[in-house]
Amino acid sequence: MEEEVVALIVGAGPAGLAAAACLGRRSVPYVVVEREGCSASLWRRRAYDRLKLHLAKEFCALPHAPFPDGAPTYVPKREFVAYLDAYAQRFGIEPRYRTSVESAAYDEGAGRWVVTARDTAAGTEVRYAARFLVVATGENAVGSVPEIPGMESFPGEAVHSSAYRSGGRYAGQRVLVVGCGNSGMEIAYDIATHGADTSIVVRSPVHIMTKGLIRLGTTLAQHVPVTIVDCLIVNIANFIFGDLSRHGIVRPKPGPLVLKSKTGRSSVIDVGTVGLIKKGIIKVFGGITKIVGNKVEFEDGKEGSFDAIVFATGYKTTVNLWLKDDKRMLNDDGLPEKGYPNHWKGENGLYCAGFARRGLAGISMDAKNIANDIAGNFMSG
């Protein structure tokens, strides 16, 4: 038997919770299913200990619930999880946990999304017939690790950043961090300050900024053309950090806010990593060509021996494994085919929340748009 639901939300991370809250406020009945045994599992179980939100709290609140007055400007992981728990309680959101969606296909005759899921606790199959389907599993479903020739020969520990918690366990070891995004740079800092001999792979141009500069830029961009704002904050950043090209770090040609808007790539918020790179405490290498035992060879001809490798190489979505009949709402990588801001709506009552690569602010916009659209269709039909 299929359970008839008006709106089925897949995923109980920030995007799923925000969509549920917005639908609830519009009096649209919904069900949230989540494969893990808790909400926001990425934040609870796969985020390193020292993580804080990289944007100021005014840009990170979910719809209809600003952060408490006493919250710090840059909210730590633990307080953000507590905020999400309070958010779910406030809006009466009760996800059905350990419910893993295996397929979702549109039934043209019935005008419903037929969703098959597995209750992993009971080991039974569950089926839903939903008028509206909201995919809120996000861009960060599973860790992505690149294929490197010889990786299987590496004798040491090799982990994805989703399994990394603290640098304490690496004290005294030679550690290579692969990836120079926010996670990679912060993990490298954490490992180095815990006494490891630390190196980082920087393959691509990257904007290094301070939290204050990104906050200033994001605020100014609401009133001033973004290209002018980019020029301003890049000049200030260059004054603060100096020329980093001799350390193997170069800036992309587009400014940080334009780059984020067009590609979803974020600037790196420096937590002290740049200072350690300048002092030679953290060494910078180019891309990896191959691994032979504990020896890693790099594109620039250099090589080094390491005891452990941490891959801060991002995540990928798994939506394409179970979502059928999406009419190319999502591309082969499981990301929206349409560009922002029209990415969130597909056909036949299909929506996606949290796939715009615009952080928590993007999630809030998606949730409001989706709820408004569903409410309009629900009330009229």
Side-chain angles (χ1 to χ4, degrees), residues 156-160 163-175 190-191 194-196 307-308 310:
E157 178 184 283
V159 299
H160 187 264
Y164 177 89
R165 292 296 170 267
S166 170
R169 60 182 299 190
Y170 297 106
Q173 296 188 44
R174 299 164 298 177
V175 184
D190 192 39
I191 289 172
H194 278 92
D307 302 306
V310 179

Side-chain angles (χ1 to χ4, degrees), residues 48 51 54 161 177 179-188 312 315:
Y48 47 93
L51 179 65
H54 293 122
S161 58
V177 179
C180 61
N182 276 296
S183 294
M185 288 290 205
E186 188 160 3
I187 286 171
Y315 292 83

